[in-house]
Amino acid sequence: EDDRFITRNPATRVKIPRMVGTHIMDAENGLSSGKPYLSLEQLRKLLEVTPNVGRPDRVVVMLAGLCALRPGEIFGATWSAYTDSGWHVMQRVYRGAIDLPKSEASNATVPLPSIVRLALDRWKTECRDSWEKAHIFATGNGNPISTSNFLQRNLQFFGTLTDVKVPVNFQILRRTVATHVSTYGGGMKELQAILRHAASKDFSTSVYQQAIFERVSDVLEKFAQAVASGLPDCDHVELPVES
């Protein structure tokens, strides 16, 4: 229409139907929300049914559901990202290609709970290639595992083995961390450090007040222990055959 190829936009009077999102009822507080998250029991059940022997599925879910890492940050990471300090987000995989982190705030080190470290150490002994430049979660040819493939073939299937009423995805896992960390001592500054969002407009908290790494680490450690302590090994789950 702007370029005068047509005289009138044929979509002008099209009415977009109102979309009503799935509402999840919080049984304890009676709150209704269109943005689902998992209870601690649901998250633990998800981890229990996720394989962790000879496969990286559980550690992927741990990184997303206990540490709030984005899927691109998980599948784009090489072993050099796993350090004594934690998980250093230096790059991500975006639309199938290696890219810079989502934002300047995203380029940071996320502390890893001891349970997640044990899972990563185990996977390092089982994976094909643990060289520092090798992708932690790679296909047979060394490329990063596809986020969409893992979501559709693995994560959502594991979710069906729990009592979760909506398809489980990485956003729900990240929201789960954000929802529960306050119970374990996490304040607004710790939450901002965990999620690594851009600074808020509040000058005092965004510029002057800083998150203390040890406190952020302590919050995630308590949260992870509450969810995942004493998980049993799970070496096999029959995934659905791709049609």
Side-chain angles (χ1 to χ4, degrees):
E1 188 176 22
D2 290 342
D3 293 332
R4 308 303 172 95
F5 290 116
I6 58 175
T7 57
R8 178 179 177 278
N9 183 352
T12 299
R13 300 184 68 182
V14 170
K15 294 183 179 180
I16 301 175
R18 180 171 176 266
M19 301 298 291
V20 179
T22 302
H23 279 239
I24 305 300
M25 185 64 71
D26 182 334
E28 182 177 350
N29 300 308
L31 301 176
S32 178
S33 170
K35 296 183 177 180
Y37 61 90
L38 305 186
S39 67
L40 298 186
E41 294 75 17
Q42 289 171 330
L43 180 54
R44 181 179 176 84
K45 178 62 176 176
L46 180 65
L47 291 170
E48 285 180 346
V49 301
T50 306
N52 69 315
V53 181
R55 288 173 54 171
D57 304 69
R58 183 182 288 177
V59 69
V60 170
V61 178
M62 281 181 163
L63 289 168
L66 297 179
C67 306
L69 284 164
R70 301 178 178 95
E73 297 167 346
I74 296 172
F75 295 117
T78 62
W79 281 108
S80 60
Y82 179 35
T83 69
D84 292 339
S85 298
W87 186 280
H88 184 42
V89 179
M90 298 177 285
Q91 61 185 29
R92 63 171 176 162
V93 61
Y94 180 67
R95 295 182 177 178
I98 298 299
D99 194 10
L100 294 174
K102 185 177 180 179
S103 65
E104 183 178 348
S106 299
N107 188 347
T109 298
V110 178
L112 296 175
S114 56
I115 291 173
V116 180
R117 284 189 172 276
L118 287 173
L120 273 167
D121 291 341
R122 179 176 189 163
W123 174 238
K124 193 169 187 178
T125 66
E126 296 176 340
C127 68
R128 291 170 178 260
D129 190 353
S130 59
W131 180 53
E132 65 173 13
K133 296 299 182 183
H135 286 285
I136 297 177
F137 307 109
T139 61
N141 58 13
N143 293 326
I145 290 176
S146 165
T147 298
S148 59
N149 284 351
F150 186 88
L151 171 64
Q152 296 168 12
R153 300 176 188 174
N154 300 57
L155 182 55
Q156 291 185 345
F157 172 71
F158 301 143
T160 65
L161 304 180
T162 71
D163 62 347
V164 181
K165 305 303 182 186
V166 295
V168 177
N169 57 39
F170 287 102
Q171 185 64 33
I172 287 177
L173 293 179
R174 187 168 160 84
R175 189 180 298 125
T176 297
V177 180
T179 301
H180 290 295
V181 291
S182 62
T183 306
Y184 301 94
M188 185 56 66
K189 207 63 192 178
E190 287 73 36
L191 179 60
Q192 188 182 67
I194 292 168
L195 297 181
R196 290 161 296 113
H197 285 154
S200 68
K201 294 181 180 180
D202 187 293
F203 195 74
S204 298
T205 58
S206 65
V207 177
Y208 282 93
Q209 184 183 24
Q210 302 298 310
I212 300 174
F213 189 85
E214 290 76 11
R215 179 168 167 78
V216 178
S217 180
D218 181 62
V219 169
L220 284 181
E221 181 67 31
K222 290 177 179 177
F223 173 59
Q225 289 291 338
V227 174
S229 61
L231 281 173
D233 281 345
C234 178
D235 61 356
H236 181 73
V237 173
E238 192 66 39
L239 295 172
V241 178
E242 184 181 5
S243 59

